[in-house]
Each structure stands twice: as structure tokens, then as C-alpha cells.
């Protein structure tokens, strides 16, 4: 009897603790500073112009366009973009002030709760494809200004396709458990031991720019791992390590070279491509120089990953020999025989940390699919690379990628034919064209 009572008592205490944790984690009272009367569909006045412009900057820093505008679409912020996740496709919502298909019927408080706490107007839990776990750090002022800007954009009547994930991911209530594990319900905390510039950089990286959403590896249920900013897989792309690791990260870059990359889309060695090209084009190139410098200062001081380079493969290795032949015949015109590329046009392959991660997804995708660098005001003629899927076999692509990752001082594990075949299928690209 005593044992039964003890177990029952422990269960009651555990339930009480869990309930308390859920309450604290789900507490949205911080959003009560926002208006609960004015609707997003009510146009702002001329007196609101300064707040609108500040909000436009917050929207750019938060890269709202990337997810809420379909590529090549003429419906800005009207949603419909399908965000691929390991659990299925999630459609980004219409966030224009349209009252029927957008957020026109929302109050400012509704907006705050969705952005900072992942709660929809009816209290439903949003999926963390919308990075509220980062946006929770946005200040009240930035949130208010962002909402004022949203009131100023053109309402667009567009019904976004419904997100239908398979069981059990379609149970939104399960997000309470996910939030308990991975959502820290707290705003940005200033570190008084650091400079104002460092704190501004930390705020931008951790909050609006939500860099960890891509650059931090995820676990099996989509939560951030403890390897902060040490790189993460994005399906066909790999977001590289952006810690001060001198080999796989940005440890060898100066603060100005970090700024150049974010502002121009390229620097002395790297050219932004894939999802990062979109981030540069839509967001970081438009930040002030002071904010870019603050980001660089912060990134250069976060804890570095501990990844070290392996021994490079010998040039006598059969795969390296094939890779050298493929590179000589197809790549030297732009990237040069020494692998140093063309500044601001063709990426340097020598000493490029983005090539050296264990995950070779980005280089495989680039060779197979081709790509275009970020288009920016400072570098409007960014370079483009053609697809080689039609020309090269899986074996040749694997050999070329392995050669790039183990030449000119680089060192990384070899790329397998199976990895390339998987990527080709995932990208729905054709097989090598027959030579006769």
C-alpha cells in the first residue's frame, strides 16, 4: 500500500511539473503589449510612415519574402511556397492584409502570437517551418513596426493550398511536446559582458535572420541540435559551418570578408548559391553596413566547431585521377587549374570551407544541377554555372567532387557514386547522355 501511494504521489508531482512547464512554455502574455482592436486590414496613415519604413527593414532582415512569396511569382507575400521538410511539404501562408485569404482579420496581438509564439488566430499550433523559435527574440518595437509594414502591403486574394502532413505529424496539438523540447519562450537577452556591436549581431543572427534554421543540424524530429551554426542538411543542399573553425567554417575569413559575402554574395573565395543566394538577394544585401559588421563580429566570436581535416586523398588514388581528368576537361575555364576561380564570379575551390563538410550535398547538387550566384546591387552580373547532369555519369560526378575536396590543400572524405545517384534522382535530373 505504501509503495502504491508513493508511486501515485510521484506521478502527481510529475504531472504537476509537466503542467507547469507546459504553461510556462505556452505563455503568450508577452504579446499582450500589442493592440487587440485594430485589424491588419485597416490601412495605416501618413503619420505611420516612419514605423512602416522601420518595419520594412525588419521584414527584410527576417527574410519574409523567401518563404511567403513563390519563386518567380507576382504575388508578393501571398504565400503558396512549398517548404520541403523530412515530414512532408508545408505551404507558407498568405500574410498580406486580405481579409479572407490573408491576415487582414488579425489584430496586432494575433500577429505577435503567430510570429513570436507559433499560435494561429484560432489558437492552433503552427509548424516550426515558420521559425517562431527564432522570432520569439524580436523586440516589441520591431514587432510593432513589422506589423505596421504588413498593414501597408497590397492585399492579395490568394488561397494557399492546405498543408496535409501524414500521421502523426498532422496532429498540431503534438507541437506542444515539440515546443517543450525545443522552444525557449524568452526574448533576446543582452549580454552585458559583450559590446553593443556584438549584442546587435547576436540579435540579428539569433532572431530576425534566424541563421540557425539552416546552419544548425536538426535531430530526427526537427529540433536544433547542440551543434550551433556548425552546418545542417537541407535536402539537396548543405548549409555550411559558419563558426570560426579555420577549416570547415569561416575562421580564415576576416570580418570584412564576412561582410562582403553577405552584401555582395561573394568574397575572396566563396560565391553564395542555392538557398543562401536567395537569402543574400532578398535579405542580407539590404542590411546596413553597421548591421553587417555586427553580424560579422558576432559570428567570429561564437564557439568554433571542433571538426578537423582528415588526410587528403593521394593523387594516385583512382578516383582522384578520374576527378582530375573531369576537372581539366570541364572546369578549368572558370575555376582555373589552380582552383582559385574568378573573384566575385566563379568560386574559388582552393581553400573553400564550404567544400569540406562531411555532407557533400551542395557540391553534388551544383555539379549536377548547375546554379547561379546571388544577384546583388554590388554584384549584378553574378556568375552562373551550367548543369552537367547530361554530360557526366554518376561515377564522374563523384570523382570530380572528390577531387575538388582533396586538392589545393583541401581534405575531405570521398564522395560515393551512390550519393550522386541519390541526388540525381532527388533532383529529377536526366542520366548522362549517350555518346553515340
Amino acid at each position: 500500500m505504501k509503495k502504491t501511494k508513493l508511486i501515485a504521489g510521484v506521478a502527481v508531482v510529475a504531472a504537476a511539473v509537466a503542467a507547469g512547464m507546459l504553461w510556462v512554455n505556452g505563455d503568450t502574455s508577452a504579446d499582450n503589449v500589442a493592440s487587440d482592436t485594430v485589424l491588419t486590414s485597416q490601412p495605416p496613415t501618413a503619420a505611420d510612415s516612419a514605423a512602416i519604413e522601420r518595419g520594412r527593414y525588419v521584414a527584410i532582415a527576417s527574410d519574409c519574402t523567401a518563404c511567403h512569396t513563390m519563386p518567380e511569382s507576382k504575388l508578393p507575400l501571398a504565400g503558396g511556397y512549398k517548404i520541403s521538410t523530412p515530414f512532408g511539404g508545408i505551404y507558407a501562408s498568405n500574410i498580406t492584409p486580405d481579409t479572407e485569404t490573408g491576415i487582414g482579420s488579425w489584430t496586432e496581438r494575433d500577429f505577435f502570437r503567430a510570429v513570436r509564439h507559433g499560435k494561429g488566430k484560432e489558437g492552433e499550433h503552427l509548424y516550426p517551418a515558420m521559425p517562431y523559435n527564432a522570432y520569439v527574440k524580436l523586440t516589441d518595437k520591431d514587432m510593432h513596426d513589422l506589423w505596421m509594414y504588413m498593414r501597408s502591403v497590397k492585399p492579395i486574394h490568394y488561397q494557399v493550398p492546405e498543408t496535409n502532413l501524414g500521421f502523426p505529424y498532422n496532429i498540431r496539438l503534438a507541437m506542444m511536446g515539440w515546443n517543450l523540447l525545443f522552444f525557449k519562450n524568452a526574448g533576446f537577452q543582452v549580454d552585458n559582458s559583450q559590446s553593443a556591436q556584438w549584442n546587435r549581431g547576436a540579435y540579428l543572427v539569433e532572431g530576425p535572420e534566424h541563421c540557425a534554421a539552416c546552419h544548425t543540424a536538426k535531430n530526427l524530429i526537427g529540433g536544433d541540435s547542440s551543434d550551433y551554426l556548425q552546418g545542417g542538411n537541407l535536402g539537396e543542399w548543405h548549409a555550411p559551418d559558419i563558426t570560426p573553425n579555420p577549416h570547415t567554417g569561416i575562421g580564415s575569413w576576416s570580418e570584412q570578408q564576412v561582410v562582403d559575402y553577405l552584401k555582395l554574395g561573394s568574397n575572396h573565395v566563396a560565391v553564395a548559391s542555392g538557398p543562401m543566394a536567395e537569402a543574400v538577394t532578398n535579405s542580407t544585401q539590404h542590411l546596413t553596413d553597421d548591421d553587417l559588421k555586427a553580424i560579422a563580429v558576432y559570428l567570429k566570436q561564437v564557439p568554433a566547431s571542433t571538426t578537423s581535416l582528415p588526410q587528403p586523398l593521394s593523387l594516385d588514388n583512382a578516383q582522384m585521377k578520374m576527378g582530375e581528368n573531369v576537372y581539366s576537361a570541364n572546369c578549368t575555364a572558370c575555376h582555373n587549374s589552380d582552383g582559385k576561380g574568378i573573384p566575385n564570379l566563379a568560386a574559388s575551390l582552393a581553400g573553400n570551407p564550404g567544400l569540406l563538410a562531411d555532407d557533400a550535398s551542395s557540391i553534388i547538387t551544383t555539379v549536377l544541377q548547375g546554379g547561379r550566384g546571388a544577384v546583388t546591387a554590388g554584384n549584378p552580373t553574378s556568375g552562373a554555372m551550367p548543369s552537367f547532369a547530361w554530360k557526366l555519369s554518376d561515377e564522374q560526378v563523384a570523382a570530380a567532387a572528390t577531387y575538388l575536396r582533396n586538392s589545393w590543400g583541401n581534405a575531405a572524405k570521398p564522395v560515393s557514386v551512390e550519393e550522386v545517384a541519390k541526388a540525381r534522382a532527388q533532383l529529377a535530373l536526366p542520366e548522362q547522355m549517350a555518346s553515340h
Side-chain angles (χ1 to χ4, degrees):
M1 180 65 72
K2 289 183 178 180
K3 185 176 181 180
T4 301
K5 288 183 177 180
L6 178 61
I7 293 173
V10 170
V12 169
V13 171
V17 170
M21 292 174 65
L22 284 170
W23 184 86
V24 171
N25 189 262
D27 181 20
T28 62
S29 60
D31 302 325
N32 293 344
V33 296
S35 166
D36 202 25
T37 55
V38 180
L39 299 181
T40 310
S41 57
Q42 295 176 242
T45 67
D48 300 316
S49 59
I52 291 169
E53 282 308 303
R54 290 194 302 268
R56 187 191 310 275
Y57 187 83
V58 176
I60 289 171
S62 303
D63 204 6
C64 302
T65 294
C67 290
H68 291 281
T69 303
M70 289 184 289
E72 311 301 326
S73 169
K74 295 183 180 179
L75 304 175
L77 302 179
Y81 178 67
K82 187 177 182 180
I83 302 168
S84 296
T85 77
F87 318 108
I90 296 175
Y91 289 95
S93 58
N94 182 338
I95 56 172
T96 74
D98 182 70
T99 54
E100 294 182 9
T101 63
I103 60 171
S105 64
W106 290 25
T107 64
E108 181 181 21
R109 194 173 300 176
D110 292 330
F111 182 73
F112 272 45
R113 286 179 177 166
V115 174
R116 294 204 299 198
H117 288 96
K119 300 282 185 69
K121 179 175 169 58
E122 305 304 323
E124 71 276 17
H125 289 273
L126 305 182
Y127 292 117
M130 204 289 283
Y132 58 85
N133 55 336
Y135 292 158
V136 69
K137 295 179 181 289
L138 289 174
T139 64
D140 293 344
K141 178 174 173 48
D142 276 355
M143 283 297 303
H144 175 72
D145 292 341
L146 177 60
W147 179 69
M148 292 299 296
Y149 169 67
M150 298 311 304
R151 289 174 59 191
S152 75
V153 305
K154 179 183 176 181
I156 297 175
H157 188 85
Y158 175 70
Q159 187 63 54
V160 171
E162 186 176 352
T163 294
N164 287 306
L165 301 185
F167 180 82
Y169 308 111
N170 60 338
I171 303 175
R172 289 184 181 260
L173 195 62
M175 289 307 305
M176 293 177 65
W178 190 94
N179 288 340
L180 193 59
L181 292 171
F182 306 116
F183 174 63
K184 183 180 180 181
N185 190 5
F188 178 73
Q189 303 296 315
V190 172
D191 185 343
N192 291 319
S193 69
Q194 298 284 356
S195 67
Q197 185 181 48
W198 183 96
N199 275 288
R200 176 62 178 171
Y203 174 73
L204 289 166
V205 169
E206 296 174 10
E209 287 291 349
H210 57 282
C211 301
C214 292
H215 291 278
T216 296
K218 303 297 179 280
N219 58 33
L220 290 175
I221 54 175
D224 284 352
S225 72
S226 59
D227 298 332
Y228 180 59
L229 301 182
Q230 294 178 28
N233 181 269
L234 304 176
E236 61 265 36
W237 295 96
H238 175 73
D241 182 345
I242 53 173
T243 74
N245 183 296
H247 307 299
T248 58
I250 58 171
S252 63
W253 295 10
S254 68
E255 289 177 0
Q256 185 58 49
Q257 287 165 341
V258 176
V259 170
D260 290 343
Y261 181 80
L262 296 174
K263 190 175 186 67
L264 302 177
S266 59
N267 59 13
H268 65 300
V269 64
V271 173
S273 59
M276 191 61 204
E278 295 176 9
V280 171
T281 297
N282 294 324
S283 180
T284 60
Q285 71 156 321
H286 302 290
L287 299 184
T288 64
D289 289 345
D290 284 347
D291 275 351
L292 291 174
K293 183 63 180 294
I295 289 174
V297 167
Y298 172 72
L299 289 179
K300 292 287 287 181
Q301 294 185 44
V302 301
S305 67
T306 57
T307 305
S308 58
L309 289 183
Q311 286 296 314
L313 296 180
S314 168
L315 291 176
D316 293 332
N317 175 282
Q319 192 180 34
M320 288 288 285
K321 287 182 177 180
M322 177 185 286
E324 183 178 21
N325 290 334
V326 173
Y327 181 83
S328 297
N330 297 279
C331 311
T332 54
C334 293
H335 296 285
N336 299 320
S337 59
D338 60 5
K340 291 186 177 179
I342 303 171
N344 300 317
L345 190 65
S348 171
L349 305 172
N352 188 327
L355 285 173
L356 305 182
D358 279 351
D359 187 333
S361 299
S362 290
I363 186 60
I364 295 172
T365 294
T366 302
V367 174
L368 285 174
Q369 180 177 267
R372 181 175 178 81
V375 177
T376 61
N379 186 25
T381 56
S382 66
M385 177 172 161
S387 166
F388 283 90
W390 67 274
K391 188 176 183 181
L392 302 178
S393 67
D394 292 345
E395 184 180 21
Q396 289 173 315
V397 173
T402 297
Y403 176 75
L404 302 181
R405 286 158 57 85
N406 288 276
S407 299
W408 315 295
N410 295 344
K413 72 177 186 180
V415 175
S416 71
V417 174
E418 291 74 21
E419 288 178 275
V420 178
K422 181 180 177 181
R424 191 188 293 265
Q426 185 177 15
L427 296 165
L429 291 170
E431 296 296 324
Q432 179 188 30
M433 185 179 293
S435 59
H436 57 279

